[in-house]
Structures are given as C-alpha cells and as structure tokens.
C-alpha cells in the first residue's frame, strides 16, 4: 500500500479523488486506526486528546484520500476552539459532500455511543452519506462491554459495525474491504 501525507486543510479541500473520512470523539483512536490500516505511522498519534486541528489528508495508492478529522467532545480546548472545529467540520462535509465516498464513525468500545456520537449519526444520515460504525479499542473492553455497546448501536443505526483494535491489528481486513468497496 502506497500512502503519503498530502497536507492539513481548513479550507480549499482537494476533491479530485474520493474521500474516506474518519470521524469520532477526541481520543477514539482515529489516527491509530489509520496507521494500522496503512501499515505505517503517517497520522500523528498523541496521548493528549484534541491534537488533530485540521482535516489531514493522506493519499492512498493514488486512488483516494483518507481524511483524519478533528475529534469532538473530549479535548481540553476553549469553547472558541471547539466552535472553530465545528465550523471546519461543517464546511468540509458540505464542500466535499460529493467527493466523500465513505465515512468511518469511530466509537470507543468501552465508552459506547455518547450524545455527540448520536448527533453525528443523525447528521451523517441527514447528509445521506454512506458510513460504517467502527468500534475501537476492543482489546481494552470486556466481552460484556462490547456486547452492550453493539446492542446500543443497533438501536441507533442499521449500518455495519466493525470491531477493531489498532494495537492488535484486529478488524483490518474488514475495514479495508469497506475502503476499497
């Protein structure tokens, strides 16, 4: 797999190739999951939530862009900064709606779907975007926690749910099948 960092954008987003977008709470594991999928550390992973502040685009096999979006909810930043991220996300989704071929909505398997995740599901459905729910960090969750989270998600959406662990490489094949579908 050939992957390269294209740049960090807050406007003038590239639309010449399809976009695969990774969204979710701050600290849900978006950057780690991208790195696991492409077998390289291309996305910056921080212990501190909220480090991704722009739409970071990575070109995959010269065929598509992987978009690492800022997280929502958990980062320790000012209200003004959170509002800027919200505007960035809205602008990105509206400006690139026709280029976005798939959205991966990442949800922490231990935490489960939060109110903000529920809002994101509603928003993705309102925009009529194809999305897959990705349950992250299953290596840190008990089988009971995973089952409870999956059960809650099934009441919110009928979209596919993929169980993943970036640390263990679990779910990679399934996610790649969605990326290249």
């Amino acid at each position: 797999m050939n992957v390269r960092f294209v740049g960090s954008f807050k406007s003038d987003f590239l639309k010449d190739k399809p976009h695969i977008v990774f969204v979710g709470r701050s600290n849900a594991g978006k950057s780690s999951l991208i790195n696991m999928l492409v077998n390289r550390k291309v996305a910056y992973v921080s212990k501190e939530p909220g480090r991704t502040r722009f739409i970071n685009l990575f070109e995959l096999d010269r065929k598509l862009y992987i978009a690492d979006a800022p997280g929502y909810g958990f980062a320790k930043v000012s209200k003004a900064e959170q509002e800027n991220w919200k505007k960035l996300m809205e602008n990105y989704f509206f400006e690139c709606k026709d280029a976005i071929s798939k959205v991966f909505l990442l949800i922490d398997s231990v935490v489960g779907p939060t109110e903000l995740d529920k809002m994101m599901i509603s928003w993705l459905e309102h925009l009529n975007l194809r999305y897959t729910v990705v349950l992250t960090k299953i290596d840190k969750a008990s089988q009971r926690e995973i089952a409870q989270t999956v059960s809650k998600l099934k009441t919110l959406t009928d979209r596919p749910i993929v169980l993943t662990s970036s640390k263990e490489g679990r779910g990679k094949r399934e996610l790649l099948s969605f990326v290249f579908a």
Side-chain angles (χ1 to χ4, degrees):
M1 221 178 298
N2 185 15
V3 64
R4 72 177 182 92
F5 175 69
V6 176
S8 297
F9 297 84
K10 57 182 176 178
S11 62
D12 301 321
F13 306 105
L14 303 177
K15 294 176 260 189
D16 59 314
K17 295 177 178 68
H19 288 220
I20 306 293
V21 185
F22 287 74
V23 298
R25 279 177 57 250
S26 297
N27 206 32
K30 294 178 294 297
S31 299
S32 296
L33 193 64
I34 290 169
N35 291 339
M36 186 260 295
L37 280 178
V38 301
N39 291 323
R40 284 186 41 210
K41 291 190 178 194
V42 294
Y44 178 73
V45 177
S46 173
K47 301 251 184 244
E48 181 185 327
R51 300 303 292 168
T52 303
R53 301 194 177 194
F54 302 103
I55 304 293
N56 294 320
L57 292 181
F58 303 89
E59 185 183 54
L60 182 62
D61 290 340
R62 297 187 176 154
K63 296 178 184 171
L64 57 88
Y65 294 119
I66 293 176
D68 186 7
Y72 49 81
F74 183 58
K76 293 180 182 175
V77 296
S78 70
K79 294 284 185 199
E81 185 69 20
Q82 287 179 9
E83 190 59 32
N84 287 339
W85 289 352
K86 180 182 177 210
K87 288 177 186 171
L88 169 67
M89 292 293 287
E90 288 172 351
N91 291 340
Y92 170 71
F93 274 96
F94 287 121
E95 190 176 318
C96 295
K97 187 176 184 303
D98 293 335
I100 296 172
S101 64
K102 174 71 79 162
V103 177
F104 289 123
L105 172 58
L106 278 63
I107 295 179
D108 187 308
S109 59
V110 176
V111 176
T114 65
E115 286 305 312
L116 291 172
D117 293 320
K118 293 173 187 177
M119 288 171 56
M120 181 58 80
I121 288 170
S122 295
W123 197 52
L124 292 172
E125 290 180 357
H126 171 74
L127 293 174
N128 205 25
L129 290 170
R130 292 178 49 216
Y131 70 96
T132 299
V133 177
V134 179
L135 217 53
T136 61
K137 304 178 186 182
I138 62 169
D139 55 291
K140 296 181 179 181
S142 68
Q143 288 301 314
R144 183 171 177 252
E145 288 170 320
I146 293 169
Q148 287 175 336
T149 298
V150 168
S151 178
K152 287 177 189 172
L153 285 167
K154 286 184 176 182
T155 67
L156 301 172
T157 182
D158 61 355
R159 302 302 307 151
I161 300 170
V162 179
L163 307 180
T164 66
S165 166
S166 296
K167 184 178 179 182
E168 297 175 350
R170 291 173 63 186
K172 180 177 179 175
R173 188 176 322 126
E174 295 89 336
L175 282 181
L176 286 174
S177 71
F178 282 109
V179 167
F180 293 111

